[in-house]
Amino acid sequence: MKFFIILFLTSVFPVPSKIKAATIEYLNLNLYNLTPHGTVEDRNGTGKPGLRGDLHLSRTIGYSGFYSLENVPFIPDFRVEYKKLHFSGHGEASKNFTFKDTSFSKGDPVSSKLDIDDFNLTFYYQPLNYFNNNGIKLEIGPNVNLFHSEVKVANKKYSNGYTSESTGALIVSGYVGLEFNPIYYLTYYVKLRGLSLSKNKANLFLVGVKYSINDQLSLNGGWIYERKKLKDVNDINLDISTKGYFLGVELVW
């Protein structure tokens, strides 16, 4: 609780403009190769099907883009990010379960889809700017996550089409980012999100490396783990984690 309050206060109250340099804008475009894990539960149904073991959702290629604005006097630095993911799968149910008006028995053929739209707005300050430090960059502040997903399932034993249900939540959590720049063209970085006070949770762990081609263009790559946990949204409990690798490009001006 105390940590979250500190994150919020540092984002709301401006720091002296004397530590602000010229305004910097960043545009990042990333591709992801991710595997889903977790469960989706219809609170009015039976069973808790696994996203892989029962719905057979497979690895997918997703994409994201985000825009960052830094060093504007009297307001926090901020980052706006949008990520789009689509998973699909086919297989056989490993147990009996129901999802909305569709029932499955063990061995029934299952077809499934999962669409995710993930929007993040992060406000942050860079306290190490007080010390004119160029080798290490620290970002700290709150993150606002708007998460939306749609699960679709069909029992291919019958002629019925897909049954679908949407879930979504607005989740506020803390954010910390750290960059280490040992040499001009190479940067290592870590990003963390979590410590939400609501029943719904949004967690992130990301490690990456950035190679600067010049002052305006960089290449990125790394590993990401992200988890969303939604309780009783449209009578659905959703616990989904994704992990895998990403590659991207960054433009600076």
Side-chain angles (χ1 to χ4, degrees), residues 192-210:
L192 301 170
R193 287 202 298 258
L195 299 178
S196 173
L197 300 180
S198 70
K199 66 177 181 179
N200 300 313
K201 307 298 180 182
N203 300 309
L204 168 77
F205 174 70
L206 181 150
V207 291
V209 61
K210 178 169 64 177

Side-chain angles (χ1 to χ4, degrees), residues 210-214 216-220 248-252:
K210 178 169 64 177
Y211 176 79
S212 298
I213 297 175
N214 53 46
Q216 287 76 43
L217 180 63
S218 301
L219 301 178
N220 297 272
V249 60
E250 177 182 89
L251 301 176
V252 183

Side-chain angles (χ1 to χ4, degrees), residues 52-248:
R52 289 183 62 81
D54 294 300
L55 302 187
H56 299 279
L57 296 176
S58 59
R59 182 180 293 269
T60 190
I61 300 295
Y63 62 88
S64 77
F66 62 82
Y67 168 80
S68 303
L69 181 63
E70 295 184 355
N71 293 341
V72 179
F74 303 111
I75 66 172
D77 300 331
F78 70 87
R79 180 175 298 115
V80 181
E81 178 182 4
Y82 172 74
K83 182 187 294 180
K84 177 68 176 182
L85 301 174
H86 172 77
F87 301 94
S88 62
H90 305 275
E92 294 184 352
S94 65
K95 59 178 177 287
N96 299 340
F97 66 90
T98 60
F99 183 82
K100 295 303 175 181
D101 58 354
T102 303
S103 298
F104 296 86
S105 299
K106 184 177 180 180
D108 281 353
V110 178
S111 181
S112 59
K113 299 177 181 179
L114 172 62
D115 292 306
I116 292 176
D117 294 284
D118 202 10
F119 175 83
N120 284 282
L121 176 60
T122 307
F123 298 97
Y124 59 94
Y125 277 119
Q126 302 178 47
L128 294 185
N129 279 358
Y130 281 109
F131 306 102
N132 295 318
N133 179 59
N134 294 321
I136 300 178
K137 178 180 178 181
L138 175 65
E139 302 175 347
I140 185 169
N143 180 82
V144 180
N145 175 233
L146 180 59
F147 177 80
H148 178 269
S149 69
E150 184 178 14
V151 180
K152 299 179 180 180
V153 297
N155 190 334
K156 292 303 181 180
K157 184 178 180 179
Y158 307 103
S159 59
N160 296 331
Y162 284 94
T163 298
S164 66
E165 185 59 84
S166 298
T167 58
L170 183 67
I171 307 170
V172 179
S173 57
Y175 163 77
V176 175
L178 182 65
E179 292 187 5
F180 175 57
N181 181 214
I183 52 180
Y184 165 73
Y185 57 85
L186 201 61
T187 302
Y188 301 96
Y189 56 93
V190 178
K191 295 183 179 181
L192 301 170
R193 287 202 298 258
L195 299 178
S196 173
L197 300 180
S198 70
K199 66 177 181 179
N200 300 313
K201 307 298 180 182
N203 300 309
L204 168 77
F205 174 70
L206 181 150
V207 291
V209 61
K210 178 169 64 177
Y211 176 79
S212 298
I213 297 175
N214 53 46
D215 290 340
Q216 287 76 43
L217 180 63
S218 301
L219 301 178
N220 297 272
W223 185 83
I224 182 173
Y225 169 84
E226 196 162 9
R227 184 180 183 184
K228 299 294 195 302
K229 200 170 183 180
L230 277 60
K231 292 185 177 181
D232 195 15
V233 180
N234 294 337
D235 293 323
I236 296 293
N237 291 335
L238 179 66
D239 185 353
I240 177 173
S241 63
T242 56
K243 60 181 179 180
Y245 300 94
F246 68 92
L247 292 172

